[in-house]
Amino acid sequence: MKSQARIVIVGGGIMGVALLYHLAEEGCSDILLIEKGELTCGSTWHAAGQCPSLVGNYNLAKIHNYSNWLYPRLEELTGQNVSWHASGGIRLALTQNDLDWFHFMKGIADNVGFRMEIIDAKKIKRINPFISTDGVIAGAWTLDDGHADPSGLTNAMARGATNMGASIQRHDRVTNIEAMPSGEWKVITENRSVIAETVVNAAGCYARQLAQMIGRDLPIVNMQHQYVVTGPIQEFVERNEEIPVIRDPRASSYLRQEQKSGLVGIYEQANMAEAWAPNGFPPWESDSELFPDNLERLMPWLGYAMERMPLFEDAGIKRIVNGAIPHSSDGFPLLGPVAGLKNFWLCCGSSFGIAQGAGCGKYLAQWMLHGDSEINMTGFDPRRFGSYADDSYMQAKGFQDYRMTYFPPLPGEELPAGRPRRLTPLHDKLNAQGCVHTEAFGWERPKWFSLDGRKEDYSFRRNNTFDVVRDECFAVRERVGILDLTGFAKYDVTGPDAESYLNRICANRMPKKPGGIALAHVLSRGGRIGGEMTITRLADDQFYVLSAAAAELRDLDHLTQGRAADEQLEIVNVTDDRGVLVLAGPRSREVLAKITDEKLDDASFRWLSGKEICVAGMPARALRLNYVGELGWELHPAMEHMEAIYDALWQAGEESGIANFGLYAVNSLRLEKAYRGWGAELTNEVTMLDAAMERFIKLDKDNFVGKDATMQQKQAKRIFQLVYFEIEVTDSDVRGGEPIFIGDDCIGVTTSGGYGHFVRKSLGFGYVDPANCEAGTELGIDVLGERCRAIVLKEPAYDPANERLRA
Ligand SMILES: Cc1cc2nc3c(=O)[nH]c(=O)nc-3n(C[C@H](O)[C@H](O)[C@H](O)COP(=O)(O)OP(=O)(O)OC[C@H]3O[C@@H](n4cnc5c(N)ncnc54)[C@H](O)[C@@H]3O)c2cc1C
């Protein structure tokens, strides 16, 4: 067995093996996978093997779609039987919201490339004559998915990987992992040790234990999940065709044919669900283990399932499988680097590992070997969780995720489990004013203000927050608005080499003079967008760096990991030390002037500059910028001064009509200004050139990460280009993931959108074939099943000359 390998993967379930296969396929064969038992002996072997196409997330849908593309081909590629059943699936809609979700997903299907039809109850009955369609208003019929034997799939990929030169060591448990002074990892097993440049944790239900070996934890709960198999069903025996997998929200279950029997898996609701090893740490000796079955727990959902397929009830239950599934805190897999460590990756936390395995393996392998994946991995990056995700958080979220398997959250829906985590000093005060909070990286952030006590009527369509958000937007555009945006990630970068270092890791140039502000992007070696930061030079050797709340750990890695040993600088994460208040609107200057002696006129405090000032007797970093496109300041005081400064601003602003606003309003206001969003328009899939952000790249700098690739991209033909558009819609706006057409040709995809209340236009962004990006081009965009006319805009719908910002 190897004592040295470029990459060691720990865990031989479908996730680890799929990664092994795809790393080898990408050309890296110096890889060793170590498995404590037989391949698949964890969660994989007993899985029901379904591989649905329909998932409510554009990037996850790409992962599923790739798996569904690969699995039917695996046997031919590797010679190993995988028992692929191309049964397709039908998900049932019981409510209008379910149906709207189908229309939203149909847009994603058209983009991603899997076949999907929305069908009525009659057609469902034609396809599956045994089903009861009581209460069913429609079905989402996906034709390219099915189910397979999970062990077959895993062993096929293992065979494919070893054929390409990868190695697998079975029956050898990893007992410890040590960081070596050389930067390599020492992976210690029961029988030997292996030195590796890179390690991947693919340990399924044991992923937390493995993380603890390197002093980390992961937000994963191992849920027990059961499916039942019925006795043989004569009607199936007499038929050649297989029924599609049925997914029924009422029964919270999947129902399908298992050979000539029936199979029903239930995601039990309320407080019935149970975790395996509730302290999170299963015993090492567990091997191909099933738990005692517990039918009680499945009631009444099993009953509802039998009502849906009465044939199943008649056949009686023959076998029950109860096994463990890892559930991450938000239901998405953990794919990417471990925060703060070099060359330690995660490929775990997948609750649909069979459906996701191949796709996760493919896109993670691209990221590991080439620095980028071809799909947007932001939502899967493990650094989306921080230390706030403690044991109680992961328990609450994991259970919630399990229960919600058949209830995808509606747009805007706030899920209560595990909250609140990170509160600003204004939390209670804003709550008392009707604030509805949303969660980002543990922070509770204002989303909108319910002034009359109304609750949001969650929907894919415009809802009862529409008018409230319009009023918040008008307050910002016509008077002055105030917003607590404390969740921003914040870092102090100081030292004699701070400027040269930041110039090396960012595409833009650092401001030359103290007080200057630059919007700067971190690029990958391949020139794709890794992060976006706002950097203020406070002194010759002092920079204040801000980035998105959700990017706190990601950007900390960007800031710290490129640093050379001899560079003199210090990087400190000060996110928890400072609060952020946004004061924006044409009357913001008169409000702030009442509580500071600092000169605020344009000549004394110009747009895109920042300095330390005194506000209501307290020091605060003041930056003249914002994301809403108005005259205004961001104030960054010490956290303990937040409340006093908010109170002073509120009091000073009463005459000027000050109003609270939230992130719904921010989305509307930033769209009017055509400001791009990190994670939506700016992702690892695209370059600054694709995103029409060339003005933030300084190619005349000596060097910066991604410069060579950017220079090459400038010469190359663009594959897609960002467009900003206005769209004619009825009662729903673009959300991102909608297909963009010219005639019948799908030429792009939207990335985000919303209603611009002040300009009275529905607006959005999307990436299209560059042949169709000229201003004035007419596009067709499918919004909830309706083809809507959109026009590419030349400039921001609001204040294109930035006059308001410079006022
Ligand atoms: C009843 C049931 C039905 C399911 N049905 C479906 C379905 O229809 N479709 C679907 O997509 N998903 C389904 N799942 C979920 C699916 O089984 C899991 O998501 C998937 O198997 C996870 O794969 P994994 O590789 O992450 O974990 P695992 O398969 O558990 O693999 C992890 C491996 O790591 C090994 N390991 C751990 N620690 C060490 C160590 N220290 N040293 C060496 N090796 C180690 C373990 O032995 C194990 O083999 C189902 C699950 C259950 C319980």
Side-chain angles (χ1 to χ4, degrees):
M1 134 130 178
K2 288 160 91 94
S3 59
Q4 188 108 26
R6 179 172 167 198
I7 303 174
V8 165
I9 299 172
V10 185
I14 193 158
M15 295 287 283
V17 173
L19 178 63
L20 186 82
Y21 176 82
H22 288 93
L23 284 168
E25 212 189 30
E26 291 283 338
C28 173
S29 56
D30 186 11
I31 338 165
L32 171 66
L33 181 144
I34 305 177
E35 163 56 51
K36 73 180 176 62
E38 268 306 331
L39 295 182
T40 79
C41 73
S43 289
T44 297
W45 70 280
H46 54 59
Q50 282 101 226
C51 299
S53 305
L54 209 63
V55 286
N57 175 284
Y58 179 60
N59 295 297
L60 196 62
K62 287 185 179 171
I63 286 182
H64 282 241
N65 189 52
Y66 171 74
S67 299
N68 288 334
W69 176 88
L70 180 71
Y71 293 160
R73 292 169 172 78
L74 262 181
E75 186 166 343
E76 199 186 319
L77 288 169
T78 65
Q80 162 79 42
N81 180 276
V82 304
S83 226
W84 176 256
H85 291 247
S87 61
I90 301 178
R91 177 149 179 154
L92 307 178
L94 309 178
T95 65
Q96 182 59 40
N97 277 336
D98 292 341
L99 185 54
D100 282 347
W101 185 68
F102 287 0
H103 283 297
F104 176 69
M105 280 307 303
K106 171 77 173 102
I108 289 183
D110 288 348
N111 257 310
V112 171
F114 60 87
R115 289 178 298 158
M116 169 180 169
E117 284 177 32
I118 300 176
I119 57 179
D120 61 16
K122 265 198 198 144
K123 186 153 182 187
I124 298 173
K125 193 95 188 159
R126 269 210 308 281
I127 299 167
N128 175 351
F130 313 111
I131 193 171
S132 154
T133 52
D134 280 359
V136 173
I137 60 170
W141 186 26
T142 49
L143 291 88
D144 295 325
D145 51 52
H147 58 96
D149 164 26
S151 297
L153 293 173
T154 310
N155 283 304
M157 287 188 280
R159 186 186 284 191
T162 48
N163 286 346
M164 290 184 271
S167 309
I168 296 177
Q169 175 68 30
R170 296 172 170 83
H171 301 288
D172 199 6
R173 177 161 69 84
V174 171
T175 54
N176 206 2
I177 301 172
E178 292 172 2
M180 297 174 61
S182 61
E184 293 164 301
W185 298 95
K186 187 174 186 182
V187 181
I188 303 162
T189 73
E190 287 166 325
N191 301 319
R192 68 205 78 226
S193 61
V194 187
I195 309 298
E197 188 183 302
T198 297
V199 174
V200 185
N201 176 350
C205 291
Y206 297 88
R208 283 186 73 191
Q209 272 126 302
L210 214 80
Q212 289 197 336
M213 294 178 190
I214 51 158
R216 301 302 159 109
D217 201 358
L218 300 177
I220 293 178
V221 174
N222 303 317
M223 300 302 298
Q224 291 190 32
H225 173 62
Q226 302 179 84
Y227 63 79
V228 304
V229 181
T230 71
I233 294 172
Q234 190 54 32
E235 286 81 347
F236 290 165
V237 174
E238 287 163 9
R239 238 173 151 244
N240 290 328
E241 282 169 87
E242 181 174 341
I243 58 163
V245 180
I246 300 293
R247 296 184 172 85
D248 178 5
R250 177 172 179 253
S252 194
S253 63
Y254 48 85
L255 302 96
R256 72 162 167 87
Q257 220 174 300
E258 169 70 358
Q259 304 299 339
K260 299 297 178 188
S261 300
L263 182 151
V264 185
I266 309 275
Y267 288 88
E268 56 273 31
Q269 300 294 299
N271 295 321
M272 304 298 279
E274 254 185 61
W276 179 37
N279 67 4
F281 304 113
W284 286 116
E285 50 283 358
S286 173
D287 190 325
S288 302
E289 183 176 354
L290 291 179
F291 315 124
D293 52 68
N294 183 342
L295 271 185
E296 289 291 293
R297 240 173 48 207
L298 302 186
M299 298 301 174
W301 302 281
L302 186 58
Y304 300 150
M306 297 299 179
E307 285 171 21
R308 187 64 72 205
M309 284 291 285
L311 277 185
F312 285 16
E313 184 162 24
D314 301 343
I317 293 172
K318 204 172 103 194
R319 184 162 61 94
I320 300 173
V321 172
N322 184 7
I325 311 186
H327 274 255
S328 74
S329 290
D330 60 5
F332 293 117
L334 301 171
L335 305 175
V338 173
L341 294 179
K342 274 190 179 171
N343 300 331
F344 206 108
W345 295 74
L346 300 181
C347 181
C348 53
S350 171
S351 52
F352 284 95
I354 313 308
Q356 293 167 2
C360 291
K362 176 185 169 81
Y363 298 116
L364 183 60
Q366 291 178 346
W367 188 1
M368 288 175 65
L369 296 181
H370 312 307
D372 284 310
S373 150
E374 72 197 59
I375 69 165
N376 177 0
M377 299 290 272
T378 317
F380 315 127
D381 189 329
R383 294 169 294 182
R384 67 190 187 272
F385 297 107
S387 56
Y388 63 85
D390 62 11
D391 208 65
S392 67
Y393 179 92
M394 61 182 88
Q395 286 288 330
K397 293 279 190 196
F399 271 71
Q400 174 179 267
D401 181 60
Y402 180 82
R403 287 174 206 144
M404 296 214 43
T405 299
Y406 282 103
F407 303 92
L410 288 163
E413 189 170 351
E414 293 299 326
L415 302 175
R419 294 171 63 181
R421 285 290 128 170
R422 297 173 94 184
L423 297 180
T424 83
L426 299 185
H427 185 263
D428 292 347
K429 185 169 291 243
L430 297 182
N431 260 355
Q433 295 180 75
C435 182
V436 177
H437 286 91
T438 189
E439 189 190 13
F441 203 64
W443 288 104
E444 293 293 326
R445 313 177 92 189
K447 190 161 77 165
W448 64 285
F449 284 80
S450 173
L451 302 180
D452 57 4
R454 76 182 72 179
K455 299 245 181 297
E456 181 168 0
D457 195 1
Y458 301 121
S459 166
F460 279 87
R461 295 171 193 273
R462 290 181 191 155
N463 64 12
N464 60 345
T465 62
F466 189 78
D467 295 351
V468 183
V469 174
R470 181 195 59 208
D471 292 349
E472 290 180 15
C473 291
F474 271 74
V476 175
R477 290 274 183 256
E478 294 185 330
R479 307 188 312 271
V480 53
I482 186 165
L483 166 65
D484 176 3
L485 265 191
T486 293
F488 268 145
K490 316 169 198 84
Y491 320 89
D492 280 338
V493 180
T494 50
D497 291 330
E499 180 182 8
S500 58
Y501 175 64
L502 289 170
N503 269 327
R504 197 176 75 242
I505 63 163
C506 296
N508 204 348
R509 180 175 290 108
M510 290 307 107
K512 293 216 165 102
K513 290 192 202 139
I517 296 179
L519 185 66
H521 298 83
V522 179
L523 308 185
S524 66
R525 277 178 282 128
R528 310 252 202 110
I529 300 173
E532 184 181 56
M533 304 192 266
T534 303
I535 305 184
T536 306
R537 185 170 199 154
L538 292 172
D540 282 346
D541 61 351
Q542 190 187 4
F543 293 83
Y544 182 46
V545 180
L546 301 170
S547 80
E552 184 178 328
L553 294 181
R554 241 179 109 110
D555 282 338
L556 188 60
D557 278 353
H558 285 137
L559 284 170
T560 52
Q561 294 193 346
R563 186 180 160 171
D566 58 351
E567 272 173 319
Q568 289 183 43
L569 73 147
E570 199 187 6
I571 298 153
V572 183
N573 182 355
V574 294
T575 303
D576 290 332
D577 301 341
R578 289 186 180 272
V580 179
L581 281 172
V582 178
L583 186 74
R587 305 190 70 176
S588 57
R589 183 178 279 132
E590 74 188 36
V591 174
L592 186 57
K594 287 185 189 164
I595 56 167
T596 181
D597 293 333
E598 193 72 29
K599 284 191 179 155
L600 299 177
D601 62 281
D602 194 45
S604 312
F605 204 143
R606 60 185 172 80
W607 179 46
L608 292 182
S609 71
K611 53 184 143 178
E612 183 107 19
I613 66 171
C614 187
V615 186
M618 285 155 279
R621 290 176 181 173
L623 315 181
R624 191 176 154 193
L625 51 69
N626 56 57
Y627 194 49
V628 295
E630 282 300 334
L631 171 70
W633 281 263
E634 267 183 17
L635 299 174
H636 296 233
M639 201 67 99
E640 62 267 27
H641 294 148
M642 273 288 282
E643 195 174 356
I645 292 183
Y646 175 86
D647 288 346
L649 284 168
W650 190 265
Q651 213 185 349
E654 267 175 325
E655 281 187 296
S656 314
I658 194 166
N660 289 303
F661 67 108
L663 291 169
Y664 274 168
V666 171
N667 190 46
S668 167
L669 298 164
R670 69 101 194 173
L671 280 164
E672 292 180 341
K673 280 294 292 172
Y675 289 156
R676 290 127 176 92
W678 175 75
E681 286 73 45
L682 308 180
T683 76
N684 63 275
E685 299 159 282
V686 297
T687 67
M688 295 287 280
L689 306 178
D690 300 331
M693 300 280 280
E694 205 170 336
R695 66 187 186 282
F696 298 104
I697 317 173
K698 295 290 175 280
L699 286 173
D700 58 340
K701 281 200 299 181
D702 268 359
N703 205 1
F704 61 86
V705 179
K707 180 176 171 183
D708 293 347
T710 306
M711 307 249 283
Q712 283 167 17
Q713 285 149 9
K714 267 181 84 75
Q715 308 307 322
K717 199 166 167 266
R718 306 242 67 70
I719 300 171
F720 35 64
Q721 187 72 50
L722 187 72
V723 288
Y724 172 62
F725 57 80
E726 174 187 349
I727 178 166
E728 292 164 15
V729 287
T730 44
D731 63 346
S732 180
D733 300 291
V734 161
R735 296 186 176 280
E738 290 89 355
I740 304 179
F741 295 89
I742 294 269
D744 287 336
D745 295 335
C746 181
I747 52 114
V749 58
T750 67
T751 47
S752 71
Y755 189 71
H757 286 277
F758 195 74
V759 299
R760 294 191 172 79
K761 288 177 177 166
S762 189
L763 300 165
F765 283 108
Y767 280 97
V768 297
D769 171 350
N772 301 297
C773 70
E774 285 303 310
T777 304
E778 191 173 322
L779 307 168
I781 301 182
D782 281 0
V783 180
L784 295 189
E786 232 183 278
R787 180 69 48 94
C788 302
R789 187 171 163 269
I791 298 288
V792 175
L793 299 179
K794 181 166 160 248
E795 57 186 18
Y798 177 73
D799 189 22
N802 289 333
E803 283 165 12
R804 309 283 294 219
L805 291 159
R806 292 198 175 91

